[in-house]
Amino acid sequence: MSTDAVTPLRHRMIEDMNARKLSAGTQRGHIHSCKRFAAFLSRSPGTATTEDIRRFQSRRRYRW
C-alpha cells in the first residue's frame, strides 16, 4: 500500500499493518474504517477519547 502524501498517523498505521502482514484488501478496509471514524469525529482519530470510540461503536451497532 502506498504511503505517499499521508498523515503521520496513517503512515504509522500502514507500517503497523505491513509488519503484521495484512493483505492490501484488509489494509484498505482498516483505512476506510478510520476515515469513517474521523468523519464521525470531525477531527483526527488520533485525538479520540474512549468516550468517542464508545459513541461511534454504539452508533454503528444500530446502523447494521
Side-chain angles (χ1 to χ4, degrees), residues 2-49:
S2 175
T3 58
D4 297 331
V6 297
T7 65
L9 180 62
R10 184 180 293 190
H11 181 74
R12 188 176 75 214
M13 183 177 175
I14 292 168
E15 284 180 340
D16 290 348
M17 290 188 294
N18 283 333
R20 290 176 176 82
K21 300 187 186 313
L22 299 180
S23 72
T26 300
Q27 289 186 28
R28 278 191 298 275
H30 286 329
I31 295 293
H32 180 71
S33 294
C34 285
K35 285 181 181 180
R36 285 195 328 259
F37 185 49
F40 172 79
L41 291 174
S42 299
R43 63 182 195 269
S44 170
T47 65
T49 64

Side-chain angles (χ1 to χ4, degrees), residues 43-62:
R43 63 182 195 269
S44 170
T47 65
T49 64
T50 54
E51 181 63 20
D52 292 328
I53 296 167
R54 188 198 65 76
R55 284 186 309 112
F56 178 73
Q57 290 175 332
S58 176
R59 177 180 172 264
R60 296 297 305 163
R61 185 176 316 134
Y62 297 111

